[in-house]
Each structure stands twice: as C-alpha cells, then as structure tokens.
Amino acid sequence: IAEWYKGFRQDCPDGRLTADSFVKIYSKCFPAGNVGEFCDHVFRTFDTDKNGFIDFKEFLLAIDVTSSGTPEEKLNWAFSMYDVDGNGWIDLEEMTKLVGSIYKMIGTHQTQTHLAKYEAEAKERAKGIFKRMDINNDGKVTKEEFTKTCLEDENLIDLLTPPSAI
C-alpha cells in the first residue's frame, strides 16, 4: 500500500486524481482506441463521494474491486457503471452507451465509415445483451438479472468488464 501511495502522490501531488488525468493514464493501456467516453463512466463509478476527484481511498477501493474482488463484487461494480442515472436498473439506452464506449475504446476508428459501422455493431450487441439480461421482459435490467446472466456466461463478463488501467 505504501508503494501505491507513493506512486499515487507522484502522479497526483495534491492527492486527487482528476478526470483528465484518469483519461491520460487509461489511454496508455488502449493507445489505438478512444477511451474518453468509457473513462467518464469508470471515473464516475470510482468517484464514490461524487466530488469530481478520485482520492487515495477511492483509488485503493477501485484497485481492490477490479483486481482482486470476487466475481459478484466485480459485477456489482460493473452494474453501478452501467446504471448511469443511478435509479437501480439499466435500460437499453444505458446499455447502448456503455457498450458503444467499449467498442470505441478497443477499436481504431480512422474514418467516419468505420465509426458508423462500429456504432451500428455496438447498438446491435447492446440490444442482444439487454434482451438476454432482461429475464422478465419488463424493459429494465436489475442488479439481480445483470449478475445472474453474467455469472452464467463468462464471455459476457469479459465483454462488459474490460480490464482496468488502475
């Protein structure tokens, strides 16, 4: 922990990781992609006190959950990220936003044609995932539905929870 603190203070002398700094760090892990949109969602989820910064405590909790947490802990964290408005469920629009941001992050989009293609693929993928997760077909994915579906399909966990840069 002392080493992490030293590194954190080196990167963030004032003890606060800003959203811009977070994007710069994350960009090193995905140099070919556009990480900005995805980072907004990750940063929002890590910034548990919603003050616009990630402090060292939030940083440690983020490392713990994303690297050594149980599958259920990781999925609870991922659910919070997908539940953009914090209302306790995920709707198709939220799913589409997050899946689209993942596509942008891992792909290279040199032209408008490629971008349009990836956006269409992301939208279709999000619809398919949402349909599988919305077990009771009420147009909402609850934390229980999200967790159950992901635990039954390891490929889905990998898609929905890309590796953390932290």
Side-chain angles (χ1 to χ4, degrees):
I1 292 177
E3 283 299 311
W4 282 338
Y5 184 72
K6 185 179 172 186
F8 184 84
R9 291 299 293 207
Q10 206 168 13
D11 291 338
C12 312
D14 64 354
R16 303 185 315 176
L17 179 61
T18 65
D20 288 342
S21 297
F22 186 76
V23 169
K24 286 177 189 163
I25 292 167
Y26 220 95
S27 294
K28 293 175 185 172
C29 296
F30 298 93
N34 178 354
V35 300
E37 216 175 286
F38 183 74
C39 282
D40 289 345
H41 297 296
V42 175
F43 189 88
R44 172 184 45 80
T45 308
F46 286 168
D47 181 19
T48 55
D49 63 7
K50 307 299 178 214
N51 68 352
F53 302 99
I54 296 174
D55 60 28
F56 187 66
K57 179 183 172 191
E58 290 167 324
F59 176 78
L60 276 183
L61 290 171
I63 287 173
D64 183 52
V65 169
T66 58
S67 63
S68 62
T70 66
E72 289 81 5
E73 289 169 333
K74 289 178 183 180
L75 290 170
N76 282 336
W77 174 83
F79 180 85
S80 298
M81 185 172 67
Y82 279 79
D83 182 16
V84 176
D85 61 13
N87 64 1
W89 67 79
I90 301 166
D91 60 31
L92 181 56
E93 184 180 333
E94 290 169 317
M95 179 70 71
T96 303
K97 279 182 190 174
L98 264 294
V99 171
S101 71
I102 291 170
Y103 266 71
K104 289 176 187 171
M105 178 178 64
I106 38 187
T108 308
H109 312 296
Q110 302 294 329
T111 66
Q112 283 302 111
T113 308
H114 283 112
L115 184 58
K117 180 183 172 213
Y118 278 103
E119 285 177 355
E121 283 179 22
K123 196 171 190 173
E124 284 307 306
R125 176 66 68 93
K127 275 188 198 173
I129 293 169
F130 189 85
K131 188 175 180 177
R132 280 180 56 201
M133 288 187 165
D134 186 14
I135 296 167
N136 64 358
N137 296 312
D138 66 353
K140 303 174 190 172
V141 173
T142 63
K143 188 182 286 189
E144 292 74 26
E145 289 171 318
F146 183 87
T147 303
K148 181 180 186 328
T149 307
C150 287
L151 288 175
E152 291 172 357
D153 184 347
E154 214 168 285
N155 292 329
L156 202 50
I157 294 175
D158 292 340
L159 172 68
L160 298 177
T161 58
S164 172
I166 290 184

